[in-house]
Amino acid sequence: MSGQYFGFIAGSYAAAILVLGAMIVGAILSYRGAKTRLARAEALRDGGKAS
Amino acid sequence: MTDQTSGSLLRLANPAVFNRLADRLIAPFAVLTLLLFVWGLYGAFFVSPPDYQQGETIRIMFIHVPSAWMAMFVYAGMSLSALGTLIWRHPMADVAQKCAAPLGAGFTLLCLVTGSLWGKPMWGTWWEWDARMTSVLVMFLIYIGVIALQQAIEEPNRAARAVAILTLVGAVNLPIIKFSVDWWSTLHQPASVFRMDGPTIHGSMLGPLFIMGIAFLMLYITLLMLFMRAEVMNRRAERLELLAAEAD
């Protein structure tokens, strides 16, 4: 019975890995991108103050 | 709501307090989420027996049901944030709503895909326009609409208000999803966990299901904190960039 439905079960878990994985990667990239952007903006502000 | 609770919520709504708390919680929450997934998946595959009618396809339930719970939970949270935006005009409410939408859309998509993969072997069809499935599809489209509206309006305050209104209008769909299996004759089975007379699922399946539910919830909280932390940083960077542009 399990063999008969293996593709459906594997497909469900593969979909979970894809969707949840995309959410995790998206969150990490978004966090890292924002951190870099903020650091650049702060450097720009500090550079402006110094000059 | 007591004064103490509302006071704590107000403190959390301060971006600086939120940042400090999120920085402290993200790593332990991520570890806890991983452990819960390991525990839940062990239960799903090695503790839970095959269902007497559905056989091994019951393993799909451990992904499908928690993602369905989360799809609705996230939308309910977004609706509360929408009230926070419209009534108290608090920027953190808008940040929370903006960051929750893609996560909610992801859970809803997963619920629809796994439901389809479970439906084919059990019902003989990938999709049926019955009330439960259609109302969940409508919720997915509302999530997409909310995300699209956020991107479409450039002025942040106008975008926040428009998104909050759309979110609240879409909240009408939540009770429709929940009670669709009772109000209409559907191919989808009626509720089997959250029922007035108790769950109809055996404990050997219910335990791993709840652990997977908590794992999904913890994953959501962890990712929401990461997204919100990023959004707060982006907004601060945007202000600094504007100030720098004005100074030039």
Side-chain angles (χ1 to χ4, degrees):
Chain A
M1 185 143 184
S2 61
Q4 190 185 350
Y5 298 128
F6 177 80
F8 295 104
I9 300 165
S12 293
Y13 281 83
I17 291 168
L18 272 176
V19 174
L20 300 182
M23 282 158 58
I24 293 167
V25 171
I28 293 170
L29 289 182
S30 159
Y31 179 79
R32 288 177 61 173
K35 208 171 177 178
T36 310
R37 184 182 174 192
L38 181 60
R40 205 181 302 135
E42 281 175 341
L44 195 72
R45 177 199 58 188
D46 296 342
K49 272 184 191 166
S51 56
Chain B
M1 197 184 285
T2 64
D3 285 351
Q4 203 179 0
T5 317
S6 60
S8 306
L9 279 176
L10 275 178
R11 271 197 302 280
L12 251 184
N14 178 321
V17 176
F18 170 78
N19 285 350
R20 275 200 301 276
L21 192 71
D23 286 345
R24 226 177 297 156
L25 291 180
I26 287 170
F29 270 48
V31 173
L32 190 60
T33 303
L34 186 69
L35 293 175
L36 280 164
F37 266 108
V38 171
W39 187 18
L41 287 171
Y42 174 79
F45 282 96
F46 301 107
V47 176
S48 168
D51 183 69
Y52 78 110
Q53 279 182 322
Q54 305 188 44
E56 294 289 345
T57 60
I58 198 70
R59 315 281 173 212
I60 299 173
M61 174 183 76
F62 299 101
I63 297 290
H64 175 73
V65 173
S67 55
W69 287 342
M70 289 312 300
M72 293 181 70
F73 177 80
V74 173
Y75 201 94
M78 276 172 56
S79 305
L80 287 178
S81 298
L83 286 177
T85 301
L86 289 175
I87 299 170
W88 296 286
R89 296 179 182 225
H90 203 289
M92 284 305 280
D94 172 46
V95 170
Q97 194 189 344
K98 187 177 179 185
C99 296
L103 297 172
F107 287 125
T108 315
L109 176 67
L110 186 57
C111 169
L112 288 167
V113 171
T114 52
S116 185
L117 283 162
W118 198 4
K120 181 63 183 169
M122 290 301 104
W123 302 330
T125 178
W126 297 103
W127 180 262
E128 191 63 43
W129 292 100
D130 89 343
R132 170 58 69 85
M133 287 175 247
T134 308
S135 53
V136 173
L137 178 66
V138 167
M139 182 164 70
F140 179 65
L141 296 175
I142 295 171
Y143 270 124
I144 299 297
V146 165
I147 295 167
L149 195 60
Q150 280 165 356
Q151 305 296 325
I153 304 175
E154 216 165 295
E155 208 273 297
N157 288 334
R158 270 188 60 217
R161 276 197 303 276
V163 165
I165 291 167
L166 176 62
T167 304
L168 286 177
V169 171
V172 173
N173 195 33
L174 285 179
I176 296 177
I177 294 173
K178 169 70 184 148
F179 297 110
S180 55
V181 286
D182 304 319
W183 292 342
W184 294 284
S185 168
T186 58
L187 189 58
H188 195 284
Q189 67 180 67
S192 46
V193 178
F194 298 113
R195 295 162 54 97
M196 296 296 276
D197 52 349
T200 55
I201 298 179
H202 191 264
S204 57
M205 294 171 182
L206 200 58
L209 182 62
F210 272 128
I211 294 163
M212 285 298 280
I214 298 168
F216 269 70
L217 177 66
M218 290 301 296
L219 176 69
Y220 167 66
I221 295 172
T222 309
L223 296 182
L224 183 67
M225 281 194 293
L226 260 176
F227 270 125
M228 284 179 70
R229 189 73 183 79
E231 180 65 19
V232 169
M233 283 193 285
N234 270 327
R235 290 185 181 197
R236 181 164 163 68
E238 210 170 283
R239 274 197 302 276
L240 290 175
E241 285 161 3
L242 271 175
L243 286 174
E246 281 171 9
D248 283 345

